[in-house]
Amino acid sequence: MLTVDDDPGVSRSVARDLRRQYGERYRVVRAESGQQALDALREIKLRGEEVAVLLADYRMPQMSGIEFLEQAMDLFPLARRVLLTAYADTDAAIQAINVVDLDHYLLKPWDPPEEKLYPVVDGLLEAWTSVDHRPAREIKVVGHRWSSRSYEVRDFLARNLVPYRWQLADEPEGQRLLSAAGEDGSRLPVVITTDGEPLVEPTDAELAARVGLSTTPSTDFYDLVVVGGGPAGLGAAVYGGSEGLRTVLVERRATGGQAGTSSRIENYLGFPDGVSGEQLTERARRQAQKFEVEMLTTRDVVGLEQRGPARVVRFEDGSELAAHTVILATGVTYRMLDAPGLSELTGRGVYYGAAATEGPNCRSEDVYIVGGANSAGQAAMYFSRYARRVVLVVRSDSLDRSMSRYLIDQLEGMENIQVRTCTEVVGGRGAEHLEHLELRHNKTGETEAVAASWLFVFIGAAPLTDWLDGILARDPRGFVLAGPDLVVDGRRPPGWILDRDPYHLETSLPGVFVAGDVRADSVKRVASAVGEGAMAVTLVHRYLEKT
Ligand SMILES: Cc1cc2nc3c(=O)[nH]c(=O)nc-3n(C[C@H](O)[C@H](O)[C@H](O)COP(=O)(O)OP(=O)(O)OC[C@H]3O[C@@H](n4cnc5c(N)ncnc54)[C@H](O)[C@@H]3O)c2cc1C
């Protein structure tokens, strides 16, 4: 409840009367000018709280009670409004009923409150509580539907399992929030934290720090640094932590990795009904936390070196983290579709990976998916729940060689999924957002322009390991070599000084291990990534015992 009166004595006594009767259930906020009251309301709005009743004095010097209520309505349209007037101002109060849709006017003085104030406020509260106003202490993202940064921010929060509410900047609640944050909508997105702090166009690192994700290590030396927070990294972290190693996991963007973007993993042991990547990630994170693993997000590792017995990883900002051992679990990153017009539309209709946050936005529209592997098939199943029609665009003449049988059967069972084989996406255009795709039949050469607002691309992936150049042995495609693959014709890798061969998952730098998709010739599966993460920890112990 907020009350405003320029006479401090009156203001105090209204607040006192309200607190006495309603103080247990409501917070009573008091202001002595319209401006002060509006500032308080903006703060309340940003904190995600609600206002039930506004009581404003009519005669205030800079801003009348009516002017105040008019502006307050922009922030809290559902708050009940009361004007406090002297007898001589009754006419103005009656007019205000039309201007600000006034609920009540109260003649001053209102003594005794039991007779003149509380019955009125009781009635207003009853009307107000009949609507669900439970305050939502949640993060809000205000942005533009077709802005790629707005999409990235939502994707970042979703993949880090941070709940948020999405508000379009051009809808009334979005506008209210922007106005409360003092923004005019030219700088988007604006993220409002649960403490009510507006973050304008935040970077991932700023966002992470403000929404409770850890970004800085608590110390500078660990037993084990795990680089990458996908299944392999999370697996390694859980085993490392559970076996008593001081472990820190460093993730560039969001834990879960590729698996975190999967809508349904059907073949992971122990989940006969399938499990979403989000659920699996959430459980793995909780498990790692239970074993006191530190998890840092938005930290990109860009360098690795040996410094005496220590292994040191370097971050983008030049800071470093040292440990006895390192497990690299950096996985792979999606390849971009190289067709004219698509790169400009990335994040505005063109997406890489599952982009599950966009599902509900595709309702009743056509969705195009490029790719013939399981990831594309899973995405087609996921989007078919929302879209009018899902078109799977596949380069080869059949899915048989690239997709699991169970998924092909599921796709065939869906009426709104169509598979177009021998077809490639060769272009895309759109002004603000994707509008058209150009498809080519690769046998006949025929091209066709189709209206399309949504394209999700799953065309394979590559390891991003250039930063390991000259430090670790890699295969020609950039995958990290380990164990027996490093010993060629009985010769150990160049620079190897130990009188033993590298352990199974050990790289060409002793004490640095590799697990999951980034390892050369690895099996690209969740189970194998988790398994290798666990196995790498066993080898870490063996390495530590012998050094
Ligand atoms: C949509 C989709 C569906 C899939 N479905 C299945 C399925 O049903 N069953 C199955 O078995 N497999 C499935 N897979 C494959 C499976 O997800 C991968 O094999 C698995 O995620 C590999 O795990 P990983 O930890 O090795 O690598 P990733 O999952 O790729 O994780 C690597 C992580 O490292 C981070 N990273 C990279 N470089 C750095 C750096 N320099 N610094 C810090 N962090 C870094 C990345 O941001 C990423 O989070 C699917 C994949 C996709 C994309």
Side-chain angles (χ1 to χ4, degrees):
M1 294 181 180
L2 180 135
T3 168
V4 48
D5 197 310
D6 64 305
D7 179 333
V10 178
S11 168
R12 264 196 297 275
S13 81
V14 183
R16 190 190 51 235
D17 285 348
L18 290 173
R19 279 196 192 107
R20 205 172 57 211
Q21 183 73 0
Y22 306 104
E24 278 185 12
R25 286 181 297 141
Y26 293 87
R27 190 154 65 86
V28 178
V29 176
R30 181 176 81 79
E32 291 177 11
S33 73
Q35 195 50 54
Q36 202 187 33
L38 285 175
D39 288 346
L41 288 182
R42 287 197 186 96
E43 230 183 282
I44 293 169
K45 181 85 194 169
L46 290 175
R47 280 206 302 267
E49 293 173 347
E50 288 293 335
V51 174
V53 180
L54 298 160
L55 296 100
D57 181 39
Y58 169 58
R59 272 182 197 269
M60 292 190 290
Q62 278 94 22
M63 187 187 293
S64 77
I66 296 175
E67 287 164 334
F68 160 74
L69 288 173
E70 220 175 341
Q71 294 191 42
M73 272 169 77
D74 292 339
L75 291 165
F76 291 100
L78 300 178
R80 298 288 155 171
R81 296 174 279 274
V82 180
L83 200 63
L84 306 176
T85 61
Y87 183 72
D89 295 322
T90 316
D91 282 352
I94 291 168
Q95 278 169 18
I97 290 176
N98 299 322
V99 182
V100 292
D101 199 10
L102 197 67
D103 289 298
H104 224 285
Y105 66 89
L106 272 180
L107 289 180
K108 296 197 273 190
W110 53 84
D111 266 348
E114 284 73 14
E115 271 176 36
K116 297 196 175 149
L117 179 65
Y118 300 152
V120 170
V121 176
D122 283 346
L124 297 177
L125 286 177
E126 197 177 313
W128 186 80
T129 44
S130 64
V131 182
D132 186 1
H133 294 289
R134 271 172 302 181
R137 303 270 300 176
E138 60 192 358
I139 292 166
K140 298 174 200 76
V141 181
V142 187
H144 193 284
R145 188 175 178 199
W146 303 140
S147 136
S148 55
R149 184 59 194 151
S150 293
Y151 161 71
E152 282 167 11
V153 162
R154 286 185 294 139
D155 186 55
F156 175 79
L157 292 173
R159 290 190 48 200
N160 276 297
L161 312 170
V162 177
Y164 66 90
R165 186 174 291 271
W166 167 233
Q167 301 284 359
L168 290 172
D170 47 12
E171 288 189 346
E173 183 61 10
Q175 284 170 353
R176 272 178 224 127
L177 288 165
L178 287 177
S179 133
E183 285 295 315
D184 62 3
S186 57
R187 300 186 303 160
L188 291 174
V190 174
V191 176
I192 295 154
T193 66
T194 47
D195 296 333
E197 185 190 5
L199 309 174
V200 180
E201 298 180 313
T203 62
D204 284 355
E206 280 166 351
L207 209 51
R210 305 298 174 82
V211 299
L213 298 168
S214 181
T215 55
T216 44
S218 65
T219 172
D220 54 7
F221 200 93
Y222 292 82
D223 294 324
L224 170 63
V225 175
V226 179
V227 185
L234 286 166
V238 166
Y239 282 90
S242 69
E243 292 169 18
L245 297 175
R246 238 174 331 140
T247 305
V248 60
L249 180 146
V250 183
E251 165 56 45
R252 175 165 63 185
R253 191 160 159 75
T255 42
Q258 298 166 68
T261 70
S262 170
S263 47
R264 192 138 216 93
I265 298 163
E266 304 256 15
N267 53 3
Y268 188 55
L269 188 73
F271 293 90
D273 303 317
V275 58
S276 74
E278 190 184 317
Q279 283 170 330
L280 198 61
T281 304
E282 195 270 333
R283 286 166 192 222
R285 279 184 61 124
R286 264 198 290 132
Q287 216 167 352
Q289 270 156 356
K290 187 176 94 177
F291 294 121
E292 294 176 10
V293 172
E294 269 182 56
M295 280 182 281
L296 312 182
T297 31
T298 68
R299 300 307 301 266
D300 205 349
V301 173
V302 297
L304 169 70
E305 66 179 84
Q306 172 175 17
R307 212 174 284 161
R311 303 291 174 264
V312 179
V313 297
R314 196 174 62 254
F315 296 116
E316 250 179 337
D317 62 0
S319 61
E320 295 179 339
L321 204 53
H324 292 301
T325 56
V326 171
I327 294 178
L328 290 173
T330 51
V332 292
T333 303
Y334 273 104
R335 252 202 290 275
M336 308 291 269
L337 186 57
D338 188 18
L342 293 185
S343 66
E344 302 88 84
L345 292 166
T346 302
R348 295 188 290 131
V350 177
Y351 302 90
Y352 289 85
T357 47
E358 294 305 307
N361 292 334
C362 304
R363 209 175 287 282
S364 311
E365 297 192 27
D366 286 353
V367 165
Y368 283 77
I369 292 175
V370 184
N374 280 6
S375 49
Q378 285 176 0
M381 289 302 295
Y382 172 74
F383 285 107
S384 70
R385 300 212 296 259
Y386 302 97
R388 176 177 54 194
R389 189 170 66 121
V390 175
V391 182
L392 189 61
V393 180
V394 186
R395 200 163 51 169
S396 68
D397 57 4
S398 149
L399 288 173
D400 289 335
R401 280 185 304 278
S402 53
M403 198 179 284
S404 301
R405 189 69 241 171
Y406 78 88
L407 256 181
I408 298 178
D409 292 344
Q410 284 181 1
L411 295 180
E412 283 170 357
M414 297 301 296
E415 269 181 12
N416 64 341
I417 296 182
Q418 182 194 344
V419 181
R420 286 184 69 155
T421 52
C422 303
T423 307
E424 292 171 41
V425 172
V426 291
R429 59 203 149 79
E432 266 202 275
H433 189 261
L434 177 68
E435 290 165 19
H436 286 96
L437 282 177
E438 186 131 352
L439 305 180
R440 190 182 63 203
H441 194 281
N442 58 24
K443 290 270 179 337
T444 64
E446 237 171 79
T447 60
E448 181 193 351
V450 292
S453 311
W454 304 98
L455 175 71
F456 297 91
V457 183
F458 299 82
I459 53 164
L464 298 183
T465 53
D466 290 352
W467 58 280
L468 293 167
D469 240 0
I471 303 161
L472 296 186
R474 295 173 301 148
D475 76 3
R477 292 189 299 151
F479 289 95
V480 177
L481 294 166
D485 292 343
L486 287 166
V487 182
V488 181
D489 300 329
R491 281 202 310 274
R492 291 174 182 150
W496 185 265
I497 49 162
L498 303 180
D499 60 357
R500 61 161 174 84
D501 285 354
Y503 295 135
H504 205 77
L505 298 177
E506 196 170 24
T507 68
S508 55
L509 181 59
V512 175
F513 298 81
V514 61
D517 281 15
V518 70
R519 188 176 65 78
D521 289 330
S522 61
V523 180
K524 308 288 184 280
R525 288 282 181 272
V526 176
S528 52
V530 173
E532 287 190 10
M535 178 173 164
V537 170
T538 307
L539 299 172
V540 161
H541 284 298
R542 195 178 298 171
Y543 170 85
L544 290 174
E545 279 160 19
K546 305 249 163 98
T547 48

